[in-house]
Amino acid sequence: MTRLGDLERAVMDVLWDRFPGPAAGLTVREVAEALSERELAYTTVMTVLDRLAGKGMVERERTGRAWSYRPAASREAHIAKLMLDALDLAGSRESALVRFARSVTGTEAEVLRAALTDEASDRKG
């Protein structure tokens, strides 16, 4: 399970909030500028992005002399993976799913119901 630390999450939020966006991704400097209120050193942001690349959370490519970074997956895909990984930790996936279903709001339950209905329709057709 790829859990993110506070700073990693802040960097990913910048990338997720900007994409779809620049086709070439964001440079370390652009990410650092987006996080300027944190007063982070350029090298700190560079290290975080390098670690995120190592974890497979971001993709990077050379743009001139600098690297540019973009999310490897959407925020929603990342959250869904975390949820599935959490289910794998449960003694009973079914019990965990039932408990989760009972904890969501009415609107969230409707979204889940619609998604399950759509998935069932897709499997039939």
Side-chain angles (χ1 to χ4, degrees):
M1 182 181 320
T2 304
R3 291 185 174 239
L4 301 176
D6 180 54
L7 189 49
E8 290 175 324
R9 177 62 191 232
V11 168
M12 287 306 301
D13 282 340
V14 168
L15 294 174
W16 280 322
D17 290 346
R18 301 280 174 101
F19 284 88
L26 296 177
T27 64
V28 174
R29 185 158 318 283
E30 290 168 325
V31 173
E33 287 171 2
L35 296 170
S36 62
E37 74 281 353
R38 288 180 171 244
E39 299 180 4
L40 300 169
Y42 175 91
T43 54
T44 300
V45 176
M46 183 172 58
T47 299
V48 171
L49 284 163
D50 186 56
R51 287 183 181 161
L52 288 168
K55 291 179 177 184
M57 291 292 300
V58 299
E59 298 170 345
R60 66 181 174 186
E61 71 179 64
R62 270 290 194 202
T63 307
R65 295 186 324 170
W67 288 101
S68 62
Y69 297 84
R70 71 175 143 274
S74 69
R75 183 184 324 226
E76 294 77 14
H78 174 68
I79 298 301
K81 174 78 169 104
L82 289 175
M83 292 170 71
L84 289 169
D85 288 348
L87 277 176
D88 288 340
L89 299 175
S92 165
R93 287 177 70 107
E94 293 80 11
S95 295
L97 281 169
V98 168
R99 188 168 189 102
F100 175 76
R102 289 183 177 154
S103 69
V104 299
T105 66
T107 302
E108 292 165 339
E110 287 300 320
V111 169
L112 285 171
R113 192 173 293 112
L116 291 170
T117 300
D118 288 347
E119 182 64 24
S121 295
D122 289 347
R123 289 182 188 209
K124 288 180 184 177

